[in-house]
Amino acid sequence: MGFGTMRITANPDRDLAIRVLRRAYELGVNHFDTAAFYVSPGGTLGVGTGEKRYAAELLRAALSPYPSEIVIATKVGTRSGKPLRERIEANLQLLGVERLDVVNLRLADNAGSLAEPFAELARMRDEGLIRDLGISNVTVAHLDEAQTIAPVVCVQNAFGLDYPDRTMLDACGQRQIAFVPFFSLAGTDREKGTPATVRDHQQRLAWTLHQGPHVLAIPGTGSVEHLEQNIAAGALAL
């Protein structure tokens, strides 16, 4: 069970966000998912007031110097008008590292070829700025294309009881690639978060994890209590 950091910027209580991140690590989480565009106000969630709070910077405040077992996966999207290198440098600066553990290239919906931006990320990997590469919001055809350019260590796609298509899940299992589902709890509400009608979030997470040994869930929350419930779901037997 990993931890997605998108939601920790929504609450202006910086100390609470840091407590959540530290508690996640205490509970055994060693994979944190983030992005430079996870920021409030003005970011992906479209909520919040006051000064900007970056999830990556909160990770740095909570866990740096990072224990050796921690993997921080960040992402860059194809929609941004900023040069790709500038976005990689922003992630390096916010996290306070010289090399990013994992960078996922997130494609816009119904995007075409990923060859050009993925090849640029591969060049930055060769420079030593990135250790491993992944892709996000993609099809199997995109995975095929990416693997002709550089090794792919993980794929992030929407998956869960509300997104039950196993196509990418099975493709990753066959190729020994980690499958990292998002929106497993939020479902079709996506960035809005888990609907209030969902009362079985632990069972949903457990079901997601039971889909294969290569599955890494990354539920996020701004609540210590909810975090502890999410982590406990990893021990449920179905």
Side-chain angles (χ1 to χ4, degrees), residues 30 57 89 125 134 176:
N30 62 6
E57 191 279 324
E89 290 172 348
R125 187 200 63 164
Q176 297 184 313

Side-chain angles (χ1 to χ4, degrees), residues 155-160 179-184 208 215-219:
V155 174
Q156 291 187 330
N157 268 17
F159 180 79
F179 181 68
V180 186
F182 55 83
F183 296 146
S184 294
T208 302
V215 177
L216 167 65
I218 50 170

Side-chain angles (χ1 to χ4, degrees), residues 133-218:
L133 297 174
I135 50 179
S136 177
N137 200 38
V138 292
T139 65
V140 174
H142 289 129
L143 176 57
D144 292 338
E145 184 180 32
Q147 288 190 295
T148 66
I149 299 169
V152 175
V153 300
C154 59
V155 174
Q156 291 187 330
N157 268 17
F159 180 79
L161 285 173
D162 298 303
Y163 293 100
D165 186 345
R166 295 182 57 93
T167 304
M168 185 59 77
L169 170 79
D170 293 339
C172 288
Q174 293 162 5
R175 304 183 197 199
Q176 297 184 313
I177 295 172
F179 181 68
V180 186
F182 55 83
F183 296 146
S184 294
L185 293 179
T188 55
D189 277 19
R190 299 173 68 86
E191 285 85 2
K192 294 179 182 178
T194 307
T197 54
V198 172
R199 304 295 183 187
D200 59 347
H201 71 275
Q202 287 183 308
Q203 290 90 338
R204 284 173 176 259
L205 284 175
W207 180 89
T208 302
L209 288 175
H210 277 69
Q211 300 311 302
H214 63 302
V215 177
L216 167 65
I218 50 170

Side-chain angles (χ1 to χ4, degrees), residues 77-79 105-112 136-138 142:
T78 56
R79 289 179 177 173
L105 178 66
R106 181 173 173 80
L107 271 63
D109 290 338
N110 302 314
S136 177
N137 200 38
V138 292
H142 289 129

Side-chain angles (χ1 to χ4, degrees), residues 1 15 22-23 25 33 38 75 81-82 99 119-120 122 159 186 191 198 200 207 226:
M1 189 80 75
D15 291 338
R22 288 177 175 168
R23 182 59 176 150
Y25 176 64
D33 177 81
Y38 286 175
K75 63 181 70 65
K82 295 181 180 179
R99 184 180 69 166
E120 186 173 354
F159 180 79
E191 285 85 2
V198 172
D200 59 347
W207 180 89
H226 193 197

